[in-house]
Amino acid sequence: MDYTDLYIDGQWREGASATRFDVLNPATEQVIASVASAEIADADAALDAAEAAMKEWAARTPRARSEVLRKAWELMTARLGDFAHLITLENGKARADAMGEATYAAEFFRWFAEEAVRADGILMHAPASGARIIVQHKPAGIAVLITPWNYPAAMGTRKIAPALAAGCAVIIKPASETPLTMLALMPLLEEAGVPRGLVNVLPSKRTGALVDHMLHDPRVRVVSFTGSTAVGRKLLYSAADQVLKPAMELGGNAPLIVFEDADLDVAVEGTMLAKMRNLGEACTAANRIYVHESVAEAFTVKLSAAMSALKVGDGTDPSVDVGPLVNADTRNKVAAFVADAVSKGAKIECGGTTPNGIGFFYPPTVISNVPENADCVHDEIFGPVAAIQTFTDQEDVITRANNTEYGLVAYVFSEDMKRALQVCERLEFGMVGLNRGLVSDPAAPFGGVKQSGLGREGGHEGMLEFMETQYISASW
């Protein structure tokens, strides 16, 4: 069966308006599916279903909820290849990258199966009055989850799993570029024992109106969004009317600092991971690469060799390392960043030319001597372009790294642990990768500071985003 309709109350439905939209394979530019587009009436039906389902789910014991999530992990782990193939078809990323995402996505079910039984509270004596202070965490309510196109599986499970662990019902609005993976997850959740109506999926081309309507329904108490800071700001305005609990994982402009004492092989390997994971289409991607002047030439040669060795092509080919970007606009924006940097004095070390032909491809590219006024220094590249700048002074590079409105993630490479940790503590970012290019982990609290977001996903904190704290003052 093709899962291309709306998923509401455990049923597959045509949308209220019966309109549909096409999903393209970015490698071939061919239509791979036509998907139902949700309207306001569909959102109301999903809210009704979520309200009814949550009453029973929230009343279940934490262990009972845990077992369902554990089963979901087992089922998804057994079908990683199927999910990876679907991710590649609609997102474009290479097979190996898609398998990594599918594995990562499944792991959130296992992690939050374990966290579901750990919603710890407090019982203590009030120091002055002698009353008992009882603090407990309760499900917050229906959560609206808005997920991006760059991780069509993982950005969904990273929100669904903690919400269900907390006892909440959810309505998911997946990105219109990549709705198929999330829809395909629904039969698996049914098989795992998720009650009908607890999880609903509303793909739509009318995202703004649909989401705004749901955020103004009093039954909704949480909004969780992953995407750009610009959209996040708009959602926060809408969420303010109902004083919703917001969880926002927004944009990034990640600095990656390579000190003169870094192991260059480790630094290049980490940079490749931080830059090229998901083809650079990630808020965690290294965007500004600062290399100490004394090792900049050697680092650039090694990084360019590694980037040039990557094979570009259709991600369904197992031998391909780099697939296409998600759409033409994204590819054109990446090409414009390179052209702008070169016009201002940057040098292309490898790549840098948009290929002719079908598919939204752009080659792995390294540009050096990038000036501070280049557009790519201030905005997310969101593509396979490594932009290298140099530095000589530690204080200067810390200042430059922090000189952004964003604060999601930073990376530091140095063999001097004392200096490295001191630098990490001074970086104004929610996460730091030290001598490694990957920070994402279901067991860790993922999130940023400044205009990179609010709240955390993953770790114990991820479940608390879907819970409210209740305090009881008691005497007996």
Side-chain angles (χ1 to χ4, degrees):
M1 175 182 176
D2 292 329
Y3 303 107
T4 57
D5 286 341
L6 310 181
Y7 184 75
I8 300 172
D9 199 18
Q11 299 176 328
W12 297 98
R13 303 185 185 182
E14 184 69 63
S17 65
T19 58
R20 304 182 76 85
F21 61 92
D22 292 336
V23 178
L24 300 183
N25 180 334
T28 66
E29 301 185 43
Q30 298 298 307
V31 175
I32 54 178
S34 176
V35 175
S37 184
E39 301 289 346
I40 300 300
D42 303 308
D44 287 337
L47 287 164
D48 291 342
E51 181 183 30
M54 184 175 160
K55 294 176 182 178
E56 185 273 333
W57 180 254
R60 289 195 189 187
T61 64
R63 178 63 68 197
R65 297 198 295 266
S66 170
E67 293 297 337
V68 172
L69 291 169
R70 175 77 183 191
K71 183 64 175 177
W73 169 73
E74 292 173 353
L75 292 171
M76 191 168 184
T77 299
R79 303 169 193 175
L80 293 179
D82 294 338
F83 279 99
H85 180 68
L86 189 52
I87 290 167
T88 295
L89 285 181
E90 65 174 349
N91 171 274
K93 66 182 69 175
R95 172 74 177 188
D97 212 347
M99 278 294 289
E101 181 189 343
T103 303
Y104 177 54
E107 192 63 25
F108 282 104
F109 288 125
R110 177 160 66 165
W111 174 258
F112 284 107
E114 296 162 347
E115 286 298 300
V117 298
R118 296 186 176 89
D120 299 330
I122 299 172
L123 173 62
M124 62 177 287
H125 280 279
S129 69
R132 268 69 167 183
I133 293 175
I134 303 169
V135 178
Q136 60 182 343
H137 303 290
K138 303 172 66 175
I142 297 173
V144 171
L145 315 179
I146 308 157
T147 60
W149 51 259
N150 56 343
Y151 287 93
M155 296 303 95
T157 61
R158 192 164 77 178
K159 300 176 189 298
I160 295 168
L164 298 192
C168 295
V170 301
I171 300 170
I172 306 156
K173 166 57 186 71
S176 55
E177 294 88 348
T178 58
L180 301 177
T181 303
M182 192 49 49
L183 290 168
L185 184 65
M186 295 305 105
L188 183 149
L189 294 185
E190 287 181 14
E191 188 177 345
V194 173
R196 58 181 293 175
L198 194 69
V199 179
N200 306 273
V201 185
L202 300 179
S204 179
K205 291 295 285 185
R206 294 190 61 209
T207 298
L210 189 78
V211 171
D212 187 71
H213 177 77
M214 289 191 287
L215 298 191
H216 286 88
D217 189 294
R219 293 171 291 183
V220 172
R221 297 310 310 149
V222 180
V223 55
S224 179
F225 169 71
T226 298
S228 70
T229 295
V231 174
R233 292 189 190 110
K234 294 177 181 178
L235 290 173
L236 285 170
Y237 275 115
S238 293
D241 289 337
Q242 292 285 343
V243 194
L244 302 185
K245 191 176 174 72
M248 298 275 153
E249 194 268 281
L250 307 177
N253 186 2
L256 185 149
I257 304 171
V258 180
F259 284 101
E260 68 275 17
D261 60 357
D263 181 320
L264 288 191
D265 290 331
V266 171
V268 168
E269 181 182 358
T271 301
M272 288 294 291
L273 187 56
K275 177 73 264 181
M276 294 302 293
R277 182 169 177 249
N278 205 50
L279 197 61
E281 294 175 310
C283 295
T284 55
N287 205 64
R288 298 169 290 149
I289 301 175
Y290 300 109
V291 186
H292 194 275
E293 190 175 78
S294 65
V295 297
E297 183 176 354
F299 175 88
T300 301
V301 169
K302 285 177 177 286
L303 182 64
S304 298
M307 292 280 272
S308 298
L310 297 174
K311 180 179 178 180
V312 179
D314 190 327
T316 57
D317 180 346
S319 69
V320 163
D321 302 301
V322 176
L325 292 161
V326 72
N327 54 37
D329 287 345
T330 300
R331 180 192 59 191
N332 295 341
K333 183 178 179 181
V334 170
F337 276 130
V338 173
D340 170 77
V342 170
S343 74
K344 294 172 180 174
K347 176 186 176 184
I348 295 177
E349 301 287 346
C350 68
T353 302
T354 303
N356 296 321
I358 300 299
F360 309 124
F361 295 97
Y362 195 83
T365 298
V366 177
I367 50 177
S368 60
N369 195 37
V370 176
E372 196 65 29
N373 67 337
D375 291 344
C376 65
V377 173
H378 305 285
D379 296 316
E380 285 187 285
I381 299 170
F382 238 64
V385 177
I388 299 176
Q389 298 179 276
T390 61
F391 72 95
T392 56
D393 179 72
Q394 177 176 305
E395 291 301 311
D396 171 64
V397 77
I398 292 173
T399 299
R400 289 162 68 187
N402 287 336
N403 185 26
T404 174
E405 66 182 7
Y406 302 105
L408 186 61
V409 63
Y411 304 92
V412 174
F413 290 87
S414 172
E415 292 296 287
D416 182 342
M417 285 298 102
K418 178 180 178 180
R419 189 258 292 277
L421 287 170
Q422 289 174 339
V423 170
C424 289
E425 289 182 355
R426 294 181 59 192
L427 292 173
E428 298 168 357
F429 296 83
M431 302 174 289
V432 182
L434 176 54
N435 290 327
R436 58 184 288 118
L438 178 64
V439 298
S440 302
D441 193 300
F446 185 104
V449 298
K450 297 193 284 188
Q451 295 201 39
S452 283
L454 299 167
R456 293 296 182 268
E457 295 186 310
H460 184 66
E461 294 85 348
M463 186 171 69
L464 296 180
E465 296 294 339
F466 296 92
M467 306 189 87
E468 295 287 7
T469 301
Q470 182 184 57
Y471 151 56
I472 301 171
S473 179
S475 296
W476 60 75

